[in-house]
Amino acid sequence: MFDKTKPMLLGDIFSNAFSLTGKTIKNNLLLAIIFLVPTGLLYAYGLQILMNGIIEGAKFSIENGATNPEPNTIISILTGSMTYTFTVLLFLIGNLAAFIAITYNSYQQVLENTISLEDALKTAFSIKLGKTLGFSILQGLVFAGIIIAAAVLMIILFIGKYIFLEILGVLILIAAVFIVVYMVYMWYFGTIFIIGENSGVMETFGKSFNLVRNYWWRTFGILLLISIIIQFALSLILTPISFILMWDFIAAIFSNASLGNSADPQHVLNLMKSFGFNLGIIAVISTILTIVIQTPFNIVLFFDLKIRKGAFEGELEEAESEAAADFPENTGDKIE
Amino acid sequence: MNNFENIPDQTGEKLNFDGSWEIKNRNLKAAAIFGLLGIGVFYFYAQTILAVIFIFIENAFSNPSSGTEFLDRMQNIMTEYKASILAALAISQYFVMLLPALWIVKKWHTSEIKKYIRFTAIPLRETLLAVLITISAIPFSSYLSDLLIEKLNVPESLQQMGAEIFTAHSIPEFIVLIFIIAVTPAICEETLFRGYFQRTLERTSGFKSVIWTGVVFGLFHMQPIGLVSLSILGLLFSFFYYRSKSLFPSSAAHFTNNFLALLFMYFAAEEIEMPAIIENASIYVALTSLAVTSVLLWLYIKITDDIERI
């Protein structure tokens, strides 16, 4: 796919990621649609249910001037929240499955192994799903633990009400945030080790750490740049799509703006009933595009770091010996 | 073959491609896309930051008024900080759009920058015809915009708020606005979109680069209401560039469109009556405009046939 003997510059990363996207776009898009559209529609539905509950509560308050909501309204909001939470979980699982399938497909493409859509789908539901989930949960627990510990320490230091200790407490919390950010990028490629190389969960932490070590700033900078560019591109694409999906709502807002203070909030609330579902659809489209575009970049960056760590030195030696065989040392004979 | 594949240059260009992207034989489509997106990101951030800084400075020396309604307050901000917003726009266009685009051409592609972006002289008739086509298309694109505004019930105050920043209330102000709103985008945006993005895409995609650049031009303005008319304009400008193999027709067309928009807003502010064909373009006027534009475009194709330029 690309030269595994030379470390990549930023331009090479962009160029290779673009080419990799091209080679995998069809299958990756299909995989994203298979996993994310059904779960995404459920998520959009869940968001709609939540919005309905909130809207009913708001309407009741406006109609009756009540400050304490009725029991029915509370039940409605609670039901909506539970439904929404459940659909969020489903969407996250769909997200994870899509991520695994797409990462696997892209990884294999770099190694020039052709895999079928079926293989990618099977991978998404293999042991790798459990490992990736386990890795993500462990990671989350570590990060949460660091932040919570720092927050608790800060609260303890605040009790004394000494300005010096309060400043120390804040600095500890800030330091904890920096530590978490540092670790996020040190462990960034853990999932690729699991999906591409079938690593175990615990050994993955060490592998990713070793891969990024000495290249933290470079990895952080490139990933930040890539994510900013991708998000900018997505905002260009999603602005008109969001506009179309929210057409009725925007028209109602403009109508009310024209009416000024005599606008009817009930009218806006009624229109918000379709707000949740459309917002959910926008979120799904955004997720699909992000996952399809971002993953090849992650894979190319992963391989670049491996090259820099000498993972393909065998190939480099082979390439050098082949070059030497083609161009033997000059023994002084004339070359005709 | 997929659309992302690294296809070699199809145009047979006679330039010395000594830039790093060319030497390393990297994907040309990737260069076009990441060059445009990279500059776009920095442009939007820089413009916002500059505008905030200038408004902050201006605010320190003035007492901003406020309205009771949200739209009134927004309109007051646009009126009172107009100079800051326009200054930020102009500076970011030259320093964060034009200069980086030229730098990317030199660094990535070739040291022959002028030739690459096609800053080349061509017969005046092509430029004049491009200007005429743009003028003839105005009633049609105005009709589309007005239709959308009507369907959305966009309030008059919101329309005025958006237009206020481009409305001159005196001759000197009008001249300044011509420089910032008409001349500057004609140079800077054309260099980036046509001179760099379209030029680079064209090397592997041919005519498709016209469609891509036109649509991306529309999207970049981040104005959903104006997306259709901006994309139509973008397609026109891209078409001029593609056919003439020069930046001049598209730049002149861009200048013309923006200048006329400023002129109409100036007339509206001074309560000067405008031709009905512009102010209230009916569907018949729009269709006539479309027909005239089509004929002129056909003429443009005829006069730019058999052009062997770089």
Side-chain angles (χ1 to χ4, degrees):
Chain A
M1 165 96 209
F2 46 76
D3 188 356
K4 292 187 194 68
T5 60
K6 290 180 195 157
M8 297 179 221
L9 298 174
L10 185 62
D12 297 316
I13 290 171
F14 278 122
S15 181
N16 291 333
F18 186 82
S19 299
L20 180 60
T21 305
K23 286 184 188 315
T24 56
I25 188 98
K26 192 175 144 206
N27 277 354
N28 283 353
L29 207 50
L30 271 170
L31 288 165
I33 288 168
I34 287 167
F35 288 114
L36 290 172
V37 167
T39 53
L41 286 172
L42 285 170
Y43 165 76
Y45 172 72
L47 186 58
Q48 185 59 58
I49 299 291
L50 177 67
M51 292 292 296
N52 281 349
I54 294 169
I55 288 164
E56 289 306 319
K59 276 173 85 173
F60 180 84
S61 297
I62 291 166
E63 279 166 8
N64 302 298
T67 50
N68 294 322
E70 284 271 301
N72 284 344
T73 310
I74 295 172
I75 290 168
S76 182
I77 292 173
L78 277 173
T79 313
S81 303
M82 279 165 54
T83 310
Y84 176 66
T85 306
F86 177 67
T87 55
V88 163
L89 283 170
L90 282 177
F91 186 50
L92 286 174
I93 291 169
N95 219 335
L96 191 61
F99 173 75
I100 291 168
I102 289 168
T103 302
Y104 182 70
N105 185 40
S106 305
Y107 186 97
Q108 293 301 323
Q109 183 63 52
V110 171
L111 299 178
E112 292 170 12
N113 298 331
T114 313
I115 60 160
S116 65
L117 197 67
E118 203 185 327
D119 290 333
L121 285 168
K122 278 183 192 166
T123 306
F125 292 112
S126 66
I127 188 81
K128 289 177 186 176
L129 179 67
K131 282 186 188 176
T132 310
L133 196 57
F135 175 78
S136 303
I137 290 170
L138 274 174
Q139 217 182 11
L141 286 172
V142 168
F143 296 153
I146 293 170
I147 297 294
I148 290 169
V152 165
L153 204 56
M154 187 181 79
I155 291 166
I156 292 169
L157 289 169
F158 264 67
I159 289 171
K161 294 193 182 174
Y162 291 109
I163 188 80
F164 167 72
L165 290 177
E166 285 174 3
I167 292 169
L168 185 64
V170 170
L171 287 174
I172 287 171
L173 187 64
I174 292 170
V177 169
F178 277 115
I179 290 169
V180 166
V181 168
Y182 177 76
M183 296 315 297
V184 162
Y185 287 95
M186 291 306 283
W187 290 336
Y188 190 84
F189 299 101
T191 48
I192 299 179
F193 275 111
I194 292 172
I195 297 163
E197 299 181 6
N198 217 11
S199 298
V201 173
M202 296 314 290
E203 65 173 327
T204 291
F205 285 100
K207 280 186 172 182
S208 181
F209 190 94
N210 287 331
L211 187 71
V212 180
R213 193 172 49 179
N214 297 330
Y215 292 102
W216 190 89
W217 280 108
R218 186 174 184 276
T219 305
F220 170 72
I222 292 173
L223 284 170
L224 186 66
L225 182 65
I226 288 167
S227 64
I228 289 171
I229 287 176
I230 289 174
Q231 287 312 309
F232 177 70
L234 288 180
S235 68
L236 293 181
I237 298 166
L238 288 172
T239 300
I241 294 174
S242 307
F243 186 74
I244 291 166
L245 285 172
M246 308 290 276
W247 181 281
D248 288 337
F249 181 73
I250 293 169
I253 292 288
F254 283 151
S255 295
N256 275 5
S258 306
L259 296 170
N261 287 333
S262 55
D264 179 13
Q266 291 277 9
H267 181 53
V268 176
L269 282 175
N270 281 331
L271 273 161
M272 280 177 73
K273 283 188 171 175
S274 62
F275 191 80
F277 190 80
N278 290 340
L279 266 185
I281 297 297
I282 293 166
V284 170
I285 296 171
S286 172
T287 307
I288 289 173
L289 291 174
T290 304
I291 208 171
V292 166
I293 297 170
Q294 177 93 38
T295 306
F297 278 96
N298 292 344
I299 298 290
V300 168
L301 199 53
F302 172 83
F303 275 96
D304 175 53
L305 285 169
K306 289 207 91 173
I307 290 167
R308 286 168 186 273
K309 294 284 175 161
F312 300 100
E313 264 172 7
E315 284 189 39
L316 176 59
E317 281 164 12
E318 202 181 299
E320 281 173 350
S321 63
E322 276 178 20
D326 290 338
F327 299 99
E329 270 185 75
N330 190 348
T331 57
D333 295 340
K334 279 187 186 172
I335 299 168
E336 301 279 331
Chain B
M1 190 171 76
N2 68 61
N3 285 330
F4 293 69
E5 203 169 299
N6 190 14
I7 308 164
D9 193 301
Q10 302 290 300
T11 54
E13 309 292 355
K14 299 176 188 67
L15 288 174
N16 177 25
F17 289 112
D18 53 358
S20 59
W21 204 278
E22 306 285 347
I23 290 169
K24 291 176 201 268
N25 198 30
R26 291 175 184 156
N27 194 307
L28 287 173
K29 282 177 187 153
I33 290 169
F34 292 115
L36 179 73
L37 289 176
I39 292 174
V41 163
F42 287 111
Y43 171 70
F44 279 110
Y45 277 118
Q47 194 177 74
T48 307
I49 291 166
L50 277 173
V52 166
I53 292 170
F54 290 158
I55 288 172
F56 185 76
I57 294 168
E58 200 176 330
N59 192 46
F61 296 102
S62 67
N63 292 317
S65 57
S66 58
T68 50
E69 295 290 330
F70 172 72
L71 287 176
D72 287 341
R73 286 202 298 277
M74 287 304 293
Q75 191 157 357
N76 287 339
I77 289 170
M78 296 296 262
T79 314
E80 288 175 23
Y81 300 117
K82 198 164 153 179
S84 298
I85 294 168
L86 289 171
L89 182 70
I91 292 171
S92 51
Q93 286 248 337
Y94 284 105
F95 289 98
V96 193
M97 189 182 278
L98 176 67
L99 291 182
L102 297 174
W103 182 82
I104 278 182
V105 169
K106 184 169 162 52
K107 181 97 176 125
W108 286 1
H109 301 283
T110 176
S111 45
E112 296 176 88
I113 300 171
K114 277 170 73 173
K115 273 188 180 175
Y116 190 86
I117 66 172
R118 294 180 180 152
F119 190 78
T120 46
I122 53 166
L124 189 61
R125 61 180 185 168
E126 289 173 38
T127 305
L128 288 175
L129 189 54
V131 167
L132 206 57
I133 292 169
T134 305
I135 294 170
S136 73
I138 285 173
F140 177 67
S141 63
S142 293
Y143 177 77
L144 286 178
S145 282
D146 291 344
L147 196 65
L148 211 54
I149 287 169
E150 193 189 307
K151 292 282 179 211
L152 271 175
N153 303 314
V154 180
E156 193 68 35
S157 50
L158 193 65
Q159 293 178 55
Q160 279 168 5
M161 184 181 82
E164 175 53 36
I165 199 141
F166 305 118
T167 305
H169 297 283
S170 65
I171 298 286
E173 192 182 350
F174 185 59
I175 293 169
V176 169
L177 279 178
I178 288 173
F179 173 73
I180 295 175
I181 306 297
V183 172
T184 301
I187 297 170
C188 304
E189 287 180 16
E190 287 306 308
T191 302
L192 175 64
F193 284 96
R194 258 55 70 173
Y196 179 67
F197 183 64
Q198 183 175 337
R199 178 70 172 84
T200 308
L201 266 191
E202 195 184 303
R203 292 171 63 191
T204 54
S205 304
F207 185 76
K208 282 189 214 165
S209 63
V210 171
I211 316 290
W212 281 112
T213 310
V215 171
V216 168
F217 178 80
L219 288 172
F220 243 78
H221 285 74
M222 299 271 211
Q223 291 174 33
I225 295 173
L227 176 62
V228 174
S229 46
L230 283 166
S231 296
I232 290 171
L233 278 174
L235 285 166
L236 270 179
F237 301 159
S238 297
F239 184 74
F240 298 148
Y241 181 80
Y242 178 78
R243 289 296 301 189
S244 287
K245 301 287 187 273
S246 167
L247 207 49
F248 285 104
S250 60
S251 292
H254 200 153
F255 171 84
T256 305
N257 178 73
N258 290 12
F259 171 77
L260 288 174
L262 286 173
L263 191 68
F264 297 150
M265 280 189 261
Y266 180 64
F267 283 168
E270 299 296 304
E271 291 174 0
I272 299 167
E273 215 173 290
M274 279 189 286
I277 198 171
I278 302 296
E279 203 160 83
N280 294 306
S282 70
I283 186 150
Y284 303 107
V285 169
L287 288 173
T288 309
S289 153
L290 189 61
V292 169
T293 307
S294 304
V295 168
L296 291 174
L297 274 171
W298 173 82
L299 194 59
Y300 195 85
I301 292 168
K302 290 306 258 184
I303 68 169
T304 52
D305 259 341
D306 299 325
I307 284 178
E308 285 192 17
R309 295 171 189 157
I310 203 167

